[in-house]
């Protein structure tokens, strides 16, 4: 969708927002925008103020429980979700019936791009807590007409059995949990590629499915193609991986997307993703600083969809780059190095200070007959690829934590 049409939709949204949404009415008025027609051209759009997570969070703290970013009276809203709170305090987010259908439509793009149709049988492998991801995936699958296999509250073993007995064809999970399920199945003596019908896996919550090492691992364990997807509670499901899998499309039919140099704020090929959603009038975000660090591809995608493509999906979180002895290290980069080793089952990393020096320590579970050899090889790979010395230790299998939600393999003990 071109910017002209996007701005038309933005003006349609601004009409009620400028009228009744206290949060944006004040913010936009202060920036000199009092009427939808004040945003006619791209140059006008780029004058709009940014919205930050901190600002939304502060607003909810001072106006509990939902803040003032509400365009309609509370009775119009039908769904409540909450962010995971991995960065900052959790945000509560409300949707109306209309905006919830819009979420489903955005998920429809994710399914269709991965070749998922109404004949598929889906397992959305989560316990369905207050986080929006699985609920919206569920709503999108219902709109698509696919069969959804319930699995909340099940153990990993029970989920594997449900996948087998229902001939599930599509698995939706975090990359870590997809690997955990595969591990459990292998311990039960199952050969997943031969014994299940799973042909597509769809992932979010962690960058893993765009990291070559993790993606390869998921695909070979399941005998399926792994698709990445990206989104956020406050924003929507904005990232879509299409069949050629050459990156993650920005869904520019439903979102206005900018990539900005975090230092200068100028448009750039690589930088922070800033998004306005166009289908969530009841509780929108306008020029929202996602904190996601991304890189745009210059070439158009061969799938034919005109929307731009991010090389490698979300490369990292701006707030999560860790500086170790002067080097900027993203947990995702580290994951891609460590999980390239087929013997590594799971790992965890911590950074701590010894007073004068920062140390990076990594624990690995290895299936190698001599796990210490894996540890040595991982340390060498980190030294080669990052120029960083790390202490790598082998630990017994099944000792490190696995999670069905966002995994937290990285802890920084210098800033508790
Ligand atoms: Zn494409």
């Amino acid at each position: 969708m071109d910017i002209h049409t996007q701005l038309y939709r933005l003006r349609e949204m601004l009409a009620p927002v400028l009228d009744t949404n206290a949060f944006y009415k004040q913010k936009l008025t202060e920036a000199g925008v009092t009427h939808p027609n004040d945003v006619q051209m791209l140059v006008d759009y780029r004058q709009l103020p940014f919205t930050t997570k901190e600002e939304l969070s502060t607003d909810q703290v001072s106006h509990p429980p939902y803040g003032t970013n509400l365009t309609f009276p509370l009775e119009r809203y039908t769904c409540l979700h909450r962010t995971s709170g991995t960065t900052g305090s959790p945000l509560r987010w409300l949707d109306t019936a209309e905006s919830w259908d819009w979420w489903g439509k955005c998920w429809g793009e994710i399914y269709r791009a991965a070749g998922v149709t109404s004949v598929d049988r889906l397992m959305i492998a989560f316990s369905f807590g207050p986080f929006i991801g699985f609920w919206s995936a569920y709503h999108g699958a219902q709109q698509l007409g696919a069969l959804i296999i319930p699995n909340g509250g099940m153990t990993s073993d029970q989920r594997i059995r449900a996948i087998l007995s229902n001939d599930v064809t599509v698995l939706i999970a975090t990359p870590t949990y997809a690997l955990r399920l595969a591990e459990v199945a292998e311990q039960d003596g199952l050969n997943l590629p031969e014994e299940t019908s799973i042909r597509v896996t769809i992932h979010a919550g962690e960058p893993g499915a765009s990291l070559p090492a993790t993606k390869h691992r998921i695909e070979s364990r399941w005998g399926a193609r792994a698709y990445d997807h990206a989104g956020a509670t406050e924003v929507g499901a904005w990232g879509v991986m299409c069949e050629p899998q050459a990156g993650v499309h920005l869904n520019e039919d439903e979102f206005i997307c900018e990539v900005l140099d975090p230092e200068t704020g100028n448009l750039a090929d690589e930088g922070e993703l800033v998004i306005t959603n166009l289908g969530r009038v009841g509780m929108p975000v306008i020029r929202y600083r996602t904190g996601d660090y991304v890189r745009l591809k210059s070439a158009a995608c061969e799938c034919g969809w005109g929307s731009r493509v991010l090389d490698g999906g979300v490369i990292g979180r701006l707030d999560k780059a860790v500086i170790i002895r002067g080097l900027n290290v993203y947990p995702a980069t580290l994951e891609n190095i460590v999980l390239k080793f087929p013997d590594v089952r799971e790992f965890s990393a911590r950074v701590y200070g010894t007073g004068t020096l920062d140390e990076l320590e990594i624990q690995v579970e290895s299936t190698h007959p001599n796990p210490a050899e894996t540890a040595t090889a991982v340390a060498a790979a980190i030294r080669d690829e990052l120029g960083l010395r790390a202490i790598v230790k082998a630990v017994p299998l099944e000792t490190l934590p696995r999670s069905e939600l966002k995994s937290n393999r990285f802890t920084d003990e210098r800033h508790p």
Side-chain angles (χ1 to χ4, degrees):
M1 186 184 287
D2 57 64
I3 184 72
H4 179 78
T5 317
Q6 287 176 328
L7 291 181
Y8 174 78
R9 281 189 63 189
L10 176 63
R11 285 194 296 275
E12 279 189 325
M13 180 169 94
L14 284 179
V17 166
L18 280 169
D19 195 29
T20 50
N21 183 307
F23 179 82
Y24 273 114
K25 188 177 179 175
Q26 183 186 349
K27 204 170 156 58
L28 294 173
T29 305
E30 280 170 9
V33 175
T34 54
H35 191 276
N37 286 346
D38 292 340
V39 192
Q40 288 290 349
M41 295 183 295
L42 183 57
V43 60
D44 303 325
Y45 177 76
R46 299 213 59 227
Q47 294 301 314
L48 296 178
F50 293 122
T51 306
T52 63
K53 186 168 194 172
E54 190 183 8
E55 206 179 349
L56 295 166
S57 176
T58 307
D59 177 58
Q60 293 199 348
V61 169
S62 29
H63 301 89
Y66 309 121
T68 62
N69 181 14
L70 298 171
T71 310
F72 305 118
L74 275 183
E75 57 268 26
R76 277 285 298 277
Y77 297 84
T78 55
C79 302
L80 168 66
H81 297 95
R82 213 186 61 202
T83 62
S84 55
T86 44
T87 54
S89 58
L91 283 174
R92 298 179 185 87
W93 218 266
L94 292 167
D95 277 286
T96 60
E98 294 81 10
S99 71
W100 193 234
D101 281 344
W102 171 82
W103 261 96
K105 186 178 158 196
C106 295
W107 261 97
E109 290 300 326
I110 294 162
Y111 288 133
R112 274 185 288 276
V116 178
T117 70
S118 62
V119 302
D120 277 300
R121 299 174 179 197
L122 276 62
M123 176 176 283
I124 304 169
F126 295 95
S127 289
F128 285 72
F131 177 59
I132 205 163
F134 17 88
W135 295 100
S136 54
Y138 189 97
H139 191 55
Q142 282 190 311
Q143 285 183 351
L144 195 68
L147 181 65
I148 311 161
I149 310 304
N151 65 99
M154 284 188 183
T155 63
S156 298
D157 258 324
Q158 290 168 328
R159 282 176 174 150
I160 292 289
R161 284 199 288 277
I163 287 171
L164 290 169
S165 59
N166 293 291
D167 282 331
V168 171
T169 55
V170 178
L171 172 69
I172 296 155
T174 60
T176 310
Y177 192 63
L179 288 171
R180 176 60 185 164
L181 280 178
E183 212 172 42
V184 169
E186 282 159 23
Q187 283 161 6
D188 290 350
L190 287 171
N191 180 336
L192 286 174
E194 279 183 14
E195 294 175 61
T196 75
S197 313
I198 300 273
R199 58 183 184 78
V200 167
T201 63
I202 299 177
H203 307 281
E206 305 160 6
S210 276
L211 300 175
T214 308
K215 178 174 160 61
H216 174 72
R217 195 170 266 245
I218 296 168
E219 293 187 329
S220 56
R221 294 261 160 84
W222 282 95
R225 286 195 88 196
Y227 287 79
D228 194 11
H229 131 70
T233 305
E234 322 83 286
V235 181
W238 56 262
V240 178
M241 186 177 259
C242 61
E243 220 276 325
Q245 297 202 327
V248 173
H249 277 276
L250 296 164
N251 182 353
E252 294 183 286
D253 294 341
E254 301 300 335
F255 302 87
I256 303 177
C257 304
E258 300 164 279
V259 177
L260 302 179
D261 183 317
E263 301 289 319
T264 63
N266 293 332
L267 287 172
D269 292 333
E270 190 173 325
E272 183 177 6
L273 183 63
V274 175
I275 295 189
T276 296
N277 51 21
L278 295 170
R280 222 175 177 189
V281 181
M283 199 166 183
V285 286
I286 297 171
R287 291 196 92 205
Y288 181 64
R289 300 190 63 154
T290 61
D292 289 329
Y293 194 79
V294 299
R295 188 186 304 128
L296 284 169
K297 292 188 85 155
S298 49
C301 184
E302 63 184 61
C303 77
W305 190 15
S307 67
R308 291 173 293 171
V309 178
L310 301 178
D311 190 10
V314 175
I315 304 169
R317 296 276 312 163
L318 284 169
D319 46 5
K320 276 204 183 157
V322 181
I323 298 170
I324 307 168
R325 298 200 289 273
L327 283 170
N328 224 344
V329 179
Y330 284 108
T333 312
L334 201 63
E335 175 181 331
N336 201 30
I337 296 170
V338 178
L339 292 189
K340 261 184 207 150
F341 291 85
D343 295 333
V344 173
R345 269 296 166 91
E346 190 52 71
F347 78 98
S348 100
R350 69 184 187 109
V351 190
Y352 59 93
T354 56
T356 50
L357 261 190
D358 293 332
E359 291 291 354
L360 170 63
E361 183 187 290
I362 295 173
Q363 298 190 324
V364 293
E365 286 181 15
S366 171
T367 54
H368 193 279
N370 181 3
E373 271 184 36
T374 310
T376 309
V378 168
I382 291 170
R383 193 175 55 237
D384 290 348
E385 296 191 36
L386 295 178
L388 189 68
R389 181 177 45 78
I391 302 164
V392 183
K393 294 177 179 168
V395 296
L397 293 171
E398 300 287 321
T399 47
L400 299 173
R402 273 88 161 158
S403 159
E404 73 176 37
L405 282 170
K406 289 184 196 197
S407 69
N408 192 10
R409 294 193 177 106
F410 208 98
T411 46
D412 189 344
E413 294 170 6
R414 295 168 304 178
H415 313 289

